[in-house]
Amino acid sequence: TPTRKKKYTKPLYDKLKVLCHPDRFANTPLEREANAIFQEIQANRYNYSKLMDLKDQAIKTLHINFK
């Protein structure tokens, strides 16, 4: 339901924006990818399904370990 997704969207967004922040990848080969993913996270902050896709992308591309 939309309310249920809304309940989980903000915590997911908050976690993604911290773990994928480009400053965490400054001066590394992943900096460009982190910046692109971070911009997508910002643009889709209310879109739960897109944030889930971006989470998967971050795990594969940035090698982030979500708990």
Side-chain angles (χ1 to χ4, degrees), residues 26-48:
N27 302 314
T28 72
L30 296 174
E31 184 174 13
R32 184 172 294 176
E33 289 86 351
N35 192 46
I37 291 172
F38 186 76
Q39 288 177 6
E40 284 291 309
I41 291 166
Q42 296 294 344
N44 292 283
R45 67 186 303 164
Y46 301 111
N47 185 336
Y48 182 80

Side-chain angles (χ1 to χ4, degrees), residues 2 4 10 13 19-20 23-24 26 36 39-40 47-48 52 63-64 66:
R4 182 181 170 106
K10 176 130 175 57
Y13 167 75
L19 293 176
C20 299
D23 289 351
R24 294 187 69 221
Q39 288 177 6
E40 284 291 309
N47 185 336
Y48 182 80
M52 289 301 292
H63 313 292
I64 291 175
F66 282 85

Side-chain angles (χ1 to χ4, degrees), residues 9-25:
T9 301
K10 176 130 175 57
L12 177 59
Y13 167 75
D14 288 341
K15 188 159 191 149
L16 282 170
K17 74 178 182 182
V18 171
L19 293 176
C20 299
H21 197 282
D23 289 351
R24 294 187 69 221
F25 299 93

Side-chain angles (χ1 to χ4, degrees), residues 54-65:
L54 290 165
K55 176 183 174 184
D56 292 339
Q57 184 180 351
I59 290 169
K60 293 174 188 167
T61 307
L62 303 177
H63 313 292
I64 291 175
N65 184 14

Side-chain angles (χ1 to χ4, degrees), residues 1-9:
T1 63
T3 306
R4 182 181 170 106
K5 281 189 177 179
K6 187 175 182 181
K7 177 181 176 182
Y8 295 106
T9 301

